[in-house]
Amino acid sequence: MFEILTSVLLLTLILVLIYYLLVQVIPKQALVVLGGAFLLMIILVSFFVPSYGPTALLWEIISLPLKPMGLAIVLIFMSVLRIKKDKIEKPAPTFLWVTLIVLVISSNPLIAYQLAKLMEQEAVNIEIKKQGICLVDCPAVGATVNSGAIVLLGAGTTEPNIPYRTQVQLTDQGDRLLYTATLYQEQTARGNFPRVIVCAPPRTGLDGNEEQLNEAQDISRILQRLGIPGNVIVLETRGVHLHMHAVEVKQILTQAGIGNTLVTLITSGIRLRRAAQTFREEGINIIPRPSNFYTFQGEGTPKRKLSPADLLPSIRALQITTQVVEEYFATIYYFLRGWLSPVVY
């Protein structure tokens, strides 16, 4: 208790000192310059070293207004600051109206699914045009292609195996594991035995031993239960984002002497385009195989029926919209870094 009280008092003293320096000692003009320089430094470090923990966290805070919920929170906060003596000063009413519009649009299921459909369908169309390979509802075409390796982008597909759970549980992204097992079985049925490379960094934001934080190992156990031999599974745990996964996979393939082999890449439909371009930029010859589709495609059946609930806001729709927005910004970032291969239509 004494240690906690001492820490609190010390932290309070530091904060008071910082406040005194900012308000009483340093001129406001200098504070503006220092604040701008600090913000620029964060942006530059985040741009060139996106996986660095402290700047990654600060970037998450700075980029909050770029997401629907974050923008709504910022606008509400700015409106609250303009409430004085029970009166709302301008432009607070405008901010509140914009907040309402942002939340209504981003949480509308009809709009959310349409945004997801556009991104997923675009990804499918690009791959069909580039390789002439059907990616949706046509296993006879895709199944005729042998590959030397299957790469599974598996981060976020499993839940941590905490004590009260009797087994590893899958998330809503977990069908990637089932799809991986299906594609592996299709390959082995034709006498082809590819390696299965599982890309998944250690879980973050959790305290525990190495085994509990090792998501790639949990994925490997599930894949083995689904019929994939453990001796063909390779765990790639060093990459913490998509580009690093591509670099590490290229190194694994090269060391195995199959650097020029055809590789099956399994990821979500929304992420497919960026993943495919990133791996191709690293010189990996891939066949993308998307999973985790949110929407139904084009002229296929069954088709999703519209219902009155599609006009009502939902948390699920807000999550999908946020994922689409994040993927657009991630694609822009990868383009600026030169991590994407050119797209040929």
Side-chain angles (χ1 to χ4, degrees):
M1 182 66 183
F2 177 75
E3 293 180 354
I4 296 176
L5 181 60
T6 303
S7 300
V8 171
L9 291 175
L10 181 59
L11 179 60
T12 304
L13 179 61
I14 293 174
L15 292 176
V16 170
L17 179 60
I18 293 175
Y19 176 80
Y20 177 77
L21 290 174
L22 294 178
V23 176
Q24 301 293 335
V25 178
I26 303 177
K28 291 185 178 181
Q29 295 81 356
L31 284 177
V32 173
V33 174
L34 289 175
F38 180 71
L39 181 61
L40 179 61
M41 181 186 67
I42 293 174
I43 293 175
L44 290 176
V45 175
S46 301
F47 184 82
F48 291 105
V49 193
S51 58
Y52 181 57
T55 54
L57 175 60
L58 289 173
W59 175 249
E60 284 293 324
I61 297 174
I62 294 174
S63 62
L64 191 64
L66 300 179
K67 305 171 185 178
M69 181 59 69
L71 177 59
I73 291 174
V74 170
L75 290 173
I76 291 175
F77 178 73
M78 294 174 63
S79 301
V80 170
L81 293 179
R82 284 164 174 77
I83 299 178
K84 297 180 180 179
K85 296 181 179 180
D86 297 330
K87 293 183 179 180
I88 301 179
E89 299 180 353
K90 294 183 178 180
T94 303
F95 290 160
L96 293 176
W97 275 109
V98 173
T99 300
L100 179 61
I101 293 172
V102 168
L103 290 178
V104 168
I105 292 177
S106 59
S107 63
N108 181 276
L110 189 62
I111 296 176
Y113 282 111
Q114 187 62 31
L115 290 174
K117 181 178 179 181
L118 290 174
M119 181 168 284
E120 291 173 345
Q121 185 64 56
E122 179 186 19
V124 172
N125 289 339
I126 289 172
E127 296 311 317
I128 291 175
K129 292 179 180 179
K130 287 195 69 170
Q131 301 190 42
I133 298 175
C134 183
L135 300 179
V136 180
D137 296 331
C138 44
V141 178
T144 60
V145 182
N146 288 336
S147 60
I150 297 175
V151 175
L152 166 63
L153 299 181
T157 57
T158 62
E159 297 284 358
N161 190 19
I162 55 183
Y164 66 82
R165 292 174 179 164
T166 58
Q167 61 184 5
V168 178
Q169 297 183 4
L170 301 182
T171 67
D172 59 352
Q173 304 289 314
D175 61 331
R176 285 185 231 165
L177 279 63
L178 304 178
Y179 194 31
T180 299
T182 299
L183 293 179
Y184 181 81
Q185 292 163 5
E186 289 178 358
Q187 295 280 322
T188 57
R190 298 195 303 273
N192 184 49
F193 299 89
R195 287 176 172 80
V196 177
I197 303 175
V198 177
C199 298
R203 297 182 176 97
T204 58
L206 297 175
D207 287 328
N209 57 46
E210 183 177 349
E211 182 179 358
Q212 291 172 324
L213 301 181
N214 192 338
E215 183 174 16
Q217 187 62 54
D218 288 341
I219 294 173
S220 175
R221 293 192 186 99
I222 295 176
L223 293 179
Q224 291 179 57
R225 293 174 186 171
L226 294 174
I228 300 179
N231 62 341
V232 305
I233 299 176
V234 180
L235 304 184
E236 192 286 288
T237 60
R238 297 180 61 183
V240 294
H241 53 73
L242 183 57
H243 177 254
M244 289 184 65
H245 286 321
V247 173
E248 294 295 330
V249 167
K250 179 63 177 179
Q251 184 175 354
I252 292 172
L253 295 175
T254 302
Q255 291 176 349
I258 53 175
N260 296 323
T261 189
L262 193 62
V263 174
T264 300
L265 178 64
I266 301 175
T267 185
S268 63
I270 283 181
R271 200 184 187 190
L272 174 65
R273 175 176 179 174
R274 181 165 60 95
Q277 290 180 259
T278 302
F279 273 72
R280 287 199 183 106
E281 181 65 19
E282 292 302 316
I284 302 174
N285 186 18
I286 67 164
I287 300 176
R289 303 294 290 183
S291 182
N292 305 125
F293 280 97
Y294 287 112
T295 60
F296 295 83
Q297 298 299 314
E299 298 105 18
T301 56
K303 294 183 178 181
R304 185 174 182 273
K305 292 183 178 180
L306 295 179
S307 68
D310 289 328
L311 302 177
L312 301 176
S314 75
I315 297 298
R316 177 66 168 172
L318 181 60
Q319 291 175 337
I320 294 174
T321 303
T322 302
Q323 286 189 36
V324 172
V325 171
E326 290 177 341
E327 184 59 26
Y328 271 119
F329 282 117
T331 301
I332 293 172
Y333 173 75
Y334 270 54
F335 172 76
L336 294 175
R337 290 300 304 270
W339 289 346
L340 300 180
S341 66
V343 176
V344 180
Y345 291 90

